Amino acid sequence: MDWLNVIVQGTLLGGLYALFAAGLSLIFGVMRLVNISHGDLIVLAAYLGLTVTSATGLHPLLALVLVVPTMGVIGYVLQRGLLNQTLGDDLLPPLLVTFGLSVIIQNGLLEVYTADPQKMDAGTLETASLAVGGLNLGVLPLLTFAVAIVVIWGLQWTFYHTALGRAFRAVSDNQDIAQLMGLNRRHIFGVAMALALGVTAIAGVLLGIRTSFDPSIGGGRLIFGFEAVIIGGLGNLWGTLAGGVILGVAQTVGAKVDPGWQILSGHLAFLFILAIRPNGLFPRISA
Amino acid sequence: MPEPILQIQGLNAHYGDFQALYGVDMEVSEGEVLAVIGSNGAGKTTLMRSITGLLSNGPGQIKYHDKDISRLRADEIAIQGLSMVPEGRQLFPSLSVRENLMIGAQVGRKGPWSLESVYKLFPILEERKDQQSTSLSGGQQQMVAIGRALMANPDLILFDEISLGLAPIIIKDIYDALPGIIGEGMSAIIVEQDISKALSVSSRVYCLQEGRVSLEGTSDTVSREDISRAYFGIE
Ligand SMILES: Nc1ncnc2c1ncn2[C@@H]1O[C@H](COP(=O)(O)OP(=O)(O)O)[C@@H](O)[C@H]1O
Ligand SMILES: [Mg+2]
């Protein structure tokens, strides 16, 4: 029962990691951009959530109504104003620029919010739990996992059943020919980044309810997101969920053996899967 | 005298330091079918890429419907009703046949072409509509590329080497379909290696040689010697 509990908790944690990863995966899939500042954007979203909740007294989940569109707008402006200029045949400029962005966001957050750890108050949601077949499951982790499934399903549906998704795939396939179809790739990329940061907003707020956060933790969230994406296979959103779950389970199992091993065992699972399946478990986009 | 739909004046094109087009002048009238011939590397595809905005041009070099489009982006030009069947087809591999056609309609122009009319022109595409476009034969892929361009309901359509790499019987099918495509007052530029094919479907012909127009004439009066001189540069 103990071990079953560990695995279930790890699975639910995987939902949060999948939310960290989904935006990364989307952006890489559409424009081959590896966004080093992704983790810091998650933390930025958590702070935006904090600001909204403390200014308005809204519940953090209701604050999403403001945080998601705000992050979306930031994403579009960031892409049109900065990141589009870095895209080309060379992979290095976007890496360098998003690395710089990461540093800027961290320092900006330090200035505005200081280095003190913060947390969002979600009332009873933080501690509520359900007893299911002898297991005691937190409502927040369950909710996070459910949100991850809905978000990934929604992204997948957008990709394969809407004109926007068709445009994403066309631009990803061949930018020149997509332009000939009347698609302005700079705009499409902006919309993709807006969508990715909308998901990031959800991830950041859920993170900020679950644990305390400070401006320095973005790097760790980026690594978890990356690992989930790579384990699942690049360009496959459901694979990203599987990757998040594997990472989460590896971490909780490691922590069960020795609390100090949580993070390490996640990295080891990642390296192990990379060694046996260099392209991840489910590579390529699947319909 | 029909109005000119496309006027090209002193068009130059470069790839880095390499100049691929030198002062090209060309005109297409409304409803006219123009052929562009020339050997490999003469600059035909470059000319198509300049017209469609995939290469950047100097100001005033290309006018479409009397408007300077030289500095516009490819998507802005496409929306004005200029579409292209690119060399090598270049379908979107992540899109099904139907989606490849649908994306052609993204520019949102009204006109005779729709999924139904494209399927009527090429019935095989309706049977294959849910397949990945890359799973089709070369000829069927070319039909998708043509259908995709038509879905934009263009005023001017560019065909870059539609018969390249296809079996003769398929080429015949596609050329048989052309009159049905280029009716309805549409203008067309056909880039073709097969000179007699090019002359048979066009009213006027231009020959490019090393980035320059080496011949301009009426398709049914131009002489074979003039063409081979313009084509190969043999004096
Ligand atoms: N992307 C490119 N970069 C550099 N040179 C190119 C490129 N594309 C074409 N060229 C050169 O430009 C010239 C014209 O090419 P192109 O327009 O493709 O000729 P055509 O279509 O008539 O065969 C050729 O000398 C070719 O080598
Ligand atoms: Mg060519």
Side-chain angles (χ1 to χ4, degrees), chain B residues 100-148:
Chain B
N100 264 284
L101 295 173
M102 292 290 293
I103 206 157
Q106 191 97 23
V107 292
R109 292 171 53 87
K110 301 239 174 319
W113 293 102
S114 62
L115 268 185
E116 292 76 61
S117 49
V118 169
Y119 287 154
K120 211 166 137 207
L121 180 67
F122 301 122
I124 185 74
L125 298 188
E126 183 160 26
E127 287 171 38
R128 302 276 153 95
K129 64 181 192 300
D130 293 322
Q131 292 187 16
Q132 291 307 108
S133 48
T134 42
S135 70
L136 303 188
S137 71
Q140 290 163 356
Q141 289 192 24
Q142 191 60 272
M143 293 172 193
V144 178
I146 294 172
R148 184 178 66 178

Side-chain angles (χ1 to χ4, degrees), chain A residues 1 6 9-10 52 64 74 77 91 94 108 128 143 197 210 231 239 246 260:
Chain A
M1 212 63 212
V6 166
Q9 303 297 349
V52 171
L64 283 174
I74 291 175
V77 171
L91 282 175
L143 180 73
L197 291 202
R210 185 185 182 105
I231 291 174
I246 289 171

Side-chain angles (χ1 to χ4, degrees), chain A residues 169-170 173-174 179-180 182 184, chain B residues 73 75 78 90 93-94 99 103:
Chain A
R169 284 178 288 143
D173 278 349
N174 189 330
Q179 294 268 125
L180 288 184
N184 178 4
Chain B
R73 290 191 316 263
D75 55 297
Q90 311 219 37
S94 313
E99 287 177 319
I103 206 157

Side-chain angles (χ1 to χ4, degrees), chain B residues 15 18 20 39-46 87:
Chain B
Y15 295 105
F18 175 75
S39 58
N40 251 329
K44 305 180 299 295
T45 297
T46 303
E87 184 177 330

